[in-house]
Structures are given as structure tokens and as C-alpha cells.
Amino acid sequence: MKFFVDTAETKDIHELAATGLLDGVTTNPTLIAKSGRKILDVIAEICAIVPGPVSAEVAATDYENILREAKVLRRIATNVTIKVPLTPDGLRACKYLSSDGAMVNVTLCFSAAQALLAAKAGATFISPFVGRLDDVGQDGMELISDIVTIYRNYEALHTQVLVASVRSPMHVIHAAKIGAHVATLPPAVLRSLYAHPLTEKGLTTFLADWQKTGQTIA
Ligand code: E4P
């Protein structure tokens, strides 16, 4: 399973990239706004840190302007992935852009029918938002399971399921059990994957016992 980080904060991206476990980055207009930086600058900096796909979202909602913005974003770096909304114009743009060799991430997916349309439009990634579905009383993970099952039924569909709006390590584990290709995680959730109290406790004991031996490894 690939791990992307869902942030536009380059300090976090630098730190997480250094682990060697980071496969890509996703951003959205809210995350760009939080960073307080210009989208072109921040995406260029992220693309230089992480060689994998870096999603940059268009702000336009009509076909012509989505393509115009995508052209600007694609010029930044070859690993820019154009993020488009799951709308008729967004999917039309997805079809054009993917045929033109761009990576496309279709965002704001909340149903299996939408995911099927995105795959038919040639999306590189589909982003179902599990946390936001859970928030309104629907089972986000059930949607992931449905999409993975549907995509597996058709060899011609190559769209990767990118689990988005992830809120906890359990979301990640469930997504991996289902076989989702990618999860994009807020930095705090990505860091929390390392943690287990028994790991900390065990390490404390090992280090204390090691000290008693008076040995060094050299
Ligand atoms: C996906 O690419 C989105 O940026 C993101 O996962 C949205 O998550 P949120 O629901 O926590 O805002």
C-alpha cells in the first residue's frame, strides 16, 4: 500500500520524506489556504522534495477553465497530478487530461457510481472521502470495499483507489485489509502509525538490561 501525506506544509513533508516511506502528497484548496502560500510556489517546492505524485487541485469548475488551470499546474513539474472535482466538467477534463498523458486525481468521491465514472474517464486516482462519510453517519470503509470490488471486476480499469479524509490508524488498517492502493494521511495520522505502548515499554526494558551488561557494539 502506498502512503501519501495530505498537507501543504513543506516542513512536515521534508520530515516525512526522510523516513523513506512517503510515496506522494495530496493538497487541496483548504490546505493551500492554511499554508498561507501561493499555490504555484508551494507545489513546486513539494515536487522537488517528493518524486512521487503530488496532487494540485484546480479551482475552476467549468471544462475550459479546468483545462487552462491544469496547463499551468502541469508546467510546474512532471510529478504534478491534476486534481479535479467529481462533476461532469471535472470528469470531461479528466478524460482529456489522462488521454494527454497527465496523472489525474478525481476528488470529492462519495459513491461507488461516481468512482465507476471516474475510472471510465481514465482517472489515475479516485479519492473517496471516508472520514466525511463517517461524519454524516455513512460507512466510509464500505464505500472503499465497494469500489475495490468493482474495479477488480474489470481488467480494463487501472484507476487506483486513494483513500482520503483519513482520520485514524484504523482507517488505514481497514483500507489495507480491503486492498486499497493508496491512503493519503494527515501528518499526525502518519506519525501515529509508528506508535504502540508495548514497543515503547519493550525498548525501555531492553535498553535498561543492555546497560547492565556494560557492553558496547563496536
Ligand atoms: C484528499 O485528497 C483531501 O485533501 C483530504 O483527504 C480531505 O480530508 P478532510 O476531510 O480531512 O478535509
Side-chain angles (χ1 to χ4, degrees), residues 6 26 28 31 83 129 132 164-165 167 184:
D6 197 28
T26 51
N28 63 38
L31 296 171
K83 207 171 178 190
F129 280 37
R132 293 193 195 186
S165 189
R167 304 272 165 81
T184 188

Side-chain angles (χ1 to χ4, degrees), residues 158-174:
H158 299 295
T159 303
Q160 297 182 46
V161 179
L162 195 172
V163 182
S165 189
V166 167
R167 304 272 165 81
S168 71
M170 286 317 293
H171 273 150
V172 182
I173 298 309
H174 284 152

Side-chain angles (χ1 to χ4, degrees), residues 49-142:
I49 303 168
V50 178
V54 173
S55 289
E57 189 160 340
V58 296
T61 53
D62 65 286
Y63 177 71
E64 300 297 342
N65 281 311
I66 291 174
L67 291 190
R68 185 182 51 75
E69 291 185 358
K71 199 171 174 184
V72 176
L73 295 170
R74 286 176 77 182
R75 275 201 295 260
I76 298 174
T78 52
N79 54 331
V80 165
T81 299
I82 306 301
K83 207 171 178 190
V84 300
L86 208 154
T87 59
D89 281 44
L91 292 189
R92 186 177 163 209
C94 173
K95 181 92 185 167
Y96 175 86
L97 291 165
S98 56
S99 311
D100 195 43
M103 289 189 286
V104 184
N105 178 356
V106 176
T107 190
L108 293 167
C109 171
F110 294 96
S111 79
Q114 289 180 322
L116 189 52
L117 290 175
K120 284 179 69 66
T124 316
F125 302 104
I126 180 70
S127 289
F129 280 37
V130 292
R132 293 193 195 186
L133 274 173
D134 291 351
D135 289 346
V136 296
Q138 288 184 42
D139 187 346
M141 280 303 149
E142 198 176 307

Side-chain angles (χ1 to χ4, degrees), residues 188-205:
V189 175
L190 193 37
R191 290 188 189 107
S192 76
L193 297 185
Y194 286 92
H196 195 287
L198 291 180
T199 304
E200 280 170 41
K201 192 176 167 211
L203 186 60
T204 306
T205 308

